[in-house]
């Protein structure tokens, strides 16, 4: 089946994107507005429009899109139900620096769906709500240190942009990593309050907290590590971390910016059955519109509620984002989360199809993760369990080549090799994707 359609695929050209990129660099620093958009070959691509599971670039190329805005577009591009609701709201105006009714509806729906959410605050981006989480955790405990894990990403701000993808020669020993600051200009002082541990290693948390528990305000992690290879926590790991945090009075924060409303309606905490004290949501929450949330235990969130901990933002709960999120959550929650069953069915077909092709063609492709968010990498390993494993044992060059051939044949995947599913992907999209993947895997093999 895949071979027949594979023969029909015409490789893409990128002349207009390349020309626009030249022009963009005259006015925009680096020609882009996020450093994470720089990686695409032969240039960062320019797009005209998105529709459902598809993106159309300025050269007229069409893509089945698994980037989905880096995860947010869980209902696909321009989902009619969200677009209509947003259009209807526009005549109301967008920003009041005051309250409106939809905020309450969104907060109620959110708190009903998310296990840890007694109270919630909304903001505009994951990075800023991660900052709010760390601030309120420090205020609640009166302590200084924050524990984070190697390979986990919690936004681009100074205080937590530490050891996200550290070069191995600067990363220190595996069991006690040296905090690594990836950006020029970062305040070194910020990193003094951050300790970095290897993930999926309960002993490392136990040893650290037995020594520094009394100084530790919070422990923050992606409960499913989506920013490195989509790694699930080992059996019992989250439960063990939960127990250790309770024992030492440390605030447990789940960064569910990717997993929230993606791996299950209530996020990873609902899927895996471990409830943190605080959690940060963004991306799928707004189905593409900019909105993020910090939610958690009433007594911690009340520090913000009482005004002791400051949280602000001119664009917080602007009408457009609030309406978009409200309708997105309604869509995702409908019929007991039926949308997830369909996304999972398609994700499973895709994951299995990729594995089957790789086996037949002879590629060392590892397809790992969950059906709504999974990763592809080239490795001899049967499983990747943490950042070091990924950095040491996967072939980055091979992945880059695979992704470029996929792109050339109409399939867009994140530069990390992570694929996101949406409710807009169809069986035909999956079939077209597997046809392109067959070409890509064959080309890599050759
Ligand atoms: N946390 C995680 C887990 C993320 O993946 C991201 C973004 N990729 C962020 C935080 C930061 O979110 P934003 O880009 O909205 O600031």
């Amino acid at each position: 089946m895949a071979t027949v359609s594979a023969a029909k695929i015409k490789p893409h050209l990128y002349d207009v994107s390349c020309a626009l990129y030249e022009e963009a660099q005259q006015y925009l620093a680096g020609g882009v507005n996020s450093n994470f958009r720089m990686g695409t070959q032969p240039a960062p691509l320019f797009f005209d429009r998105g529709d459902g599971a598809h993106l159309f670039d300025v050269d007229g190329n069409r893509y089945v899109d698994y980037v989905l805005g880096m995860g947010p577009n869980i209902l696909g591009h321009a989902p009619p139900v969200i677009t209509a609701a947003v259009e209807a709201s526009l005549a109301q105006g967008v920003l009041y620096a005051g309250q409106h009714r939809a905020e309450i509806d969104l907060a109620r729906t959110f708190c009903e769906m998310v296990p840890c959410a007694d109270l919630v605050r909304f903001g505009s981006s994951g990075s800023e709500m991660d900052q709010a989480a760390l601030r309120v955790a420090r205020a609640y405990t009166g302590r200084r240190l924050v524990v984070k894990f190697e390979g986990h990403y919690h936004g681009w701000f100074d205080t937590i942009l530490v050891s996200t993808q550290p070069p191995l020669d600067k990363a220190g020993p595996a069991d006690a990593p040296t905090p690594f600051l990836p950006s020029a200009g970062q305040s070194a002082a910020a990193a003094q309050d951050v300790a970095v541990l290897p993930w999926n290693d309960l002993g490392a948390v136990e040893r650290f907290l037995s020594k520094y528990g009394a100084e530790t305000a919070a422990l923050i992690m992606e409960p499913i590590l989506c920013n490195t290879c989509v790694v699930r926590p080992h059996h019992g790991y989250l439960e063990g971390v939960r127990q250790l945090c309770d024992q030492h009075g440390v605030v447990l924060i789940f960064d569910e910016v990717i997993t929230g409303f993606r791996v299950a309606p209530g996020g990873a905490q609902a899927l895996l059955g471990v409830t943190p004290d605080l959690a940060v949501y963004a991306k799928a929450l707004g189905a593409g519109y900019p909105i993020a949330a910090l939610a958690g235990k009433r007594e911690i969130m009340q520090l913000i509620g009482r005004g002791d901990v400051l949280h602000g933002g001119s664009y917080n709960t602007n009408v457009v984002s609030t309406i978009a999120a409200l309708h997105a959550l309604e869509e995702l929650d409908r019929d007991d989360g039926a949308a997830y069953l369909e996304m999972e069915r398609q994700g499973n077909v895709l994951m299995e199809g990729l594995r089957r092709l790789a086996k037949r063609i002879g590629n060392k492709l590892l397809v790992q993760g969950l059906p709504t968010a999974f990763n592809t990498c080239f490795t001899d390993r049967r499983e990747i369990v943490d950042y070091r494993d990924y950095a040491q044992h996967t072939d980055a060059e091979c992945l880059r080549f695979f992704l470029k051939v996929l792109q050339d044949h109409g399939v867009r995947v994140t530069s990390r090799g992570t694929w996101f599913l949406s409710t807009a992907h169809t069986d035909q999209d999956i079939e077209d994707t597997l046809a392109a993947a067959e070409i890509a895997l064959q080309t890599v093999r050759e």
Side-chain angles (χ1 to χ4, degrees):
M1 170 184 66
T3 319
V4 176
S5 20
K8 287 192 213 154
I9 301 173
K10 210 166 117 230
H12 288 180
L13 297 171
Y14 307 99
D15 297 349
V16 183
S17 269
C18 288
L20 287 176
Y21 182 47
E22 287 292 311
E23 188 184 344
Q25 286 175 92
Q26 292 174 37
Y27 309 103
L28 285 168
V32 294
N33 281 295
S34 162
N35 284 29
F36 301 117
R37 296 179 194 161
M38 280 175 163
T40 314
Q41 291 301 319
L45 301 187
F46 286 70
F47 296 94
D48 275 334
R49 68 188 177 92
D51 180 11
H54 303 135
L55 266 179
F56 300 84
D57 75 12
V58 288
D59 285 274
N61 302 314
R62 172 186 180 272
Y63 303 87
V64 182
D65 186 23
Y66 297 96
V67 178
L68 298 176
M70 294 306 277
N73 297 316
I74 194 158
L75 304 176
H77 294 273
V81 48
I82 307 290
T83 306
V86 166
E87 273 174 5
S89 82
L90 287 176
Q92 285 172 239
V94 177
L95 272 186
Y96 307 140
Q99 285 54 249
H100 55 100
R101 288 190 177 88
E103 290 177 296
I104 306 175
D105 296 335
L106 177 60
R108 184 188 308 113
T109 308
F110 184 100
C111 289
E112 282 168 5
M113 290 173 79
V114 172
C116 80
D118 295 335
L119 291 171
V120 60
R121 266 288 175 98
F122 294 105
S124 298
S125 71
S127 297
E128 73 188 66
M129 296 320 272
D130 276 322
Q131 293 303 305
L134 301 181
R135 179 178 286 178
V136 75
R138 286 192 170 109
Y140 179 71
T141 56
R143 299 175 184 172
R144 174 181 73 86
L145 278 177
V146 166
V147 174
K148 76 153 321 256
F149 296 88
E150 220 169 32
H152 293 231
Y153 179 73
H154 307 295
W156 61 277
F157 296 168
D158 277 16
T159 51
I160 200 69
L161 184 65
V162 181
S163 297
T164 46
Q165 290 182 323
L168 290 175
D169 59 343
K170 301 211 168 77
D175 58 349
T178 309
F180 176 78
L181 305 185
S183 173
Q186 265 186 277
S187 159
Q192 285 168 8
D193 287 339
V194 176
V196 180
L197 294 182
W199 192 62
N200 245 341
D201 177 352
L202 195 56
V205 177
E206 197 165 15
R207 283 189 297 278
F208 183 87
L209 290 184
S210 67
K211 222 166 157 186
Y212 301 107
E215 292 167 63
T216 305
L219 184 149
I220 185 168
M221 66 161 81
E222 297 181 55
I224 296 168
L225 173 49
C226 291
N227 277 294
T228 302
C229 204
V230 190
V231 186
R232 280 170 174 265
H234 288 328
H235 188 67
Y237 178 68
L238 294 185
E239 290 82 353
V241 171
R242 173 72 277 182
Q243 216 172 9
L244 286 167
C245 284
D246 287 341
Q247 198 180 316
H248 292 276
V250 172
V251 175
L252 176 60
I253 305 170
F254 281 178
D255 184 338
E256 298 237 33
V257 166
I258 292 181
T259 50
F261 305 107
R262 169 160 287 288
V263 300
Q269 58 189 272
L271 183 74
L272 303 173
V274 175
T275 307
D277 300 307
L278 294 174
V280 176
Y281 285 70
K283 301 210 188 243
L285 165 63
Y289 289 81
I291 185 164
L294 167 64
K297 272 193 181 149
R298 185 173 300 274
E299 64 172 311
I300 306 179
M301 291 298 291
Q302 275 296 22
L303 290 176
I304 299 178
R306 285 202 305 266
D308 299 345
V309 170
L310 192 140
H311 163 244
S314 300
Y315 299 106
N316 295 356
T317 54
N318 68 78
V319 174
V320 165
S321 293
T322 309
I323 293 286
L326 183 57
H327 284 80
L329 296 196
E330 278 172 7
E331 281 303 299
L332 293 169
D333 205 28
R334 194 186 298 287
D335 303 329
D336 288 329
Y340 291 89
L341 294 181
E342 184 52 17
M343 269 190 289
E344 283 166 12
R345 185 187 66 76
Q346 280 174 340
N348 279 322
V349 171
L350 184 52
M351 290 172 85
E352 269 316 307
L354 289 166
R355 287 184 185 123
R356 213 174 33 246
L357 284 172
K359 189 165 176 207
R360 202 187 74 216
I361 296 165
N363 304 90
K364 291 173 175 172
L365 183 78
L366 176 66
V367 184
Q368 173 172 303
L370 292 100
T372 54
F374 66 86
N375 185 273
T376 45
C377 63
F378 292 85
T379 178
D380 288 323
R381 298 268 158 146
R382 294 182 57 180
E383 188 190 8
I384 295 292
V385 300
D386 64 10
Y387 172 73
R388 299 260 171 148
D389 214 14
Y390 185 77
Q392 281 167 348
H393 300 291
T394 71
D395 186 336
E397 201 48 51
C398 212
L399 176 65
R400 251 194 303 280
F401 189 51
F402 174 60
L403 297 177
K404 174 63 167 61
V405 184
L406 278 177
Q407 175 189 294
D408 289 347
H409 292 84
V411 174
R412 188 165 181 255
V413 178
T414 73
S415 59
R416 297 191 303 260
T418 296
W419 307 51
F420 296 114
L421 268 286
S422 77
T423 59
H425 285 88
T426 63
D427 289 347
Q428 186 62 53
D429 291 323
I430 306 296
E431 203 177 300
D432 292 348
T433 302
L434 289 172
E438 181 174 8
I439 299 175
L441 288 170
Q442 246 151 12
T443 313
V444 169
R445 183 86 176 96
E446 281 156 22

